[in-house]
Amino acid sequence: TKQNTNMRSFVAYLFLAIAALLVVQVSAQECSICEFVVNYVEGYISQNATESEIEYFLDKACNAIPVVGTECTALVNTYLPELVQYIQQAQPPQTVCTEIHLC
């Protein structure tokens, strides 16, 4: 019936809206983690830390963050060399994270 068809369409649209919202939330979380990491790296670069020292301290910091520690560590392990390059070019965190497609 037409009523059943309308209900199915509504449920399908609702499902798509929820899925889109979840994608936005995950993207926002990745962006926030990235900006946290960039700020952290900036501090260590200003202290002339090596990349391996930065990675060591960041891994410890990431592991101390409940819920998102795994994502934080993965971001560090994947993007640290790129992050360091952008930071050495004096790019702000939002720009850095946008350039590596996390914001």
Side-chain angles (χ1 to χ4, degrees):
T1 67
K2 185 174 179 165
Q3 191 173 19
N4 284 342
T5 302
N6 286 342
M7 181 57 83
R8 286 187 191 128
S9 295
F10 173 75
V11 170
Y13 287 124
L14 182 60
F15 177 77
L16 290 174
I18 290 170
L21 181 61
L22 290 174
V23 168
V24 168
Q25 287 175 342
V26 168
S27 296
Q29 182 175 331
E30 285 180 345
C31 184
S32 296
I33 293 169
C34 181
E35 290 176 351
F36 162 79
V37 169
V38 170
N39 283 314
Y40 212 85
V41 172
E42 285 176 335
Y44 281 107
I45 287 177
S46 69
Q47 297 173 16
N48 295 318
T50 66
E51 196 170 300
S52 60
E53 290 171 328
I54 294 169
E55 184 172 4
Y56 171 78
F57 289 119
L58 270 172
D59 283 342
K60 287 183 80 169
C62 288
N63 289 330
I65 303 170
V67 182
V68 296
T70 303
E71 291 89 347
C72 181
T73 301
L75 186 145
V76 169
N77 294 337
T78 303
Y79 296 106
L80 186 60
E82 288 178 80
L83 296 177
V84 169
Q85 286 180 332
Y86 283 114
I87 293 166
Q88 288 173 333
Q89 296 169 6
Q91 298 295 324
Q94 181 67 37
T95 301
V96 173
C97 297
T98 299
E99 288 294 321
I100 63 172
H101 308 288
L102 294 175
C103 287

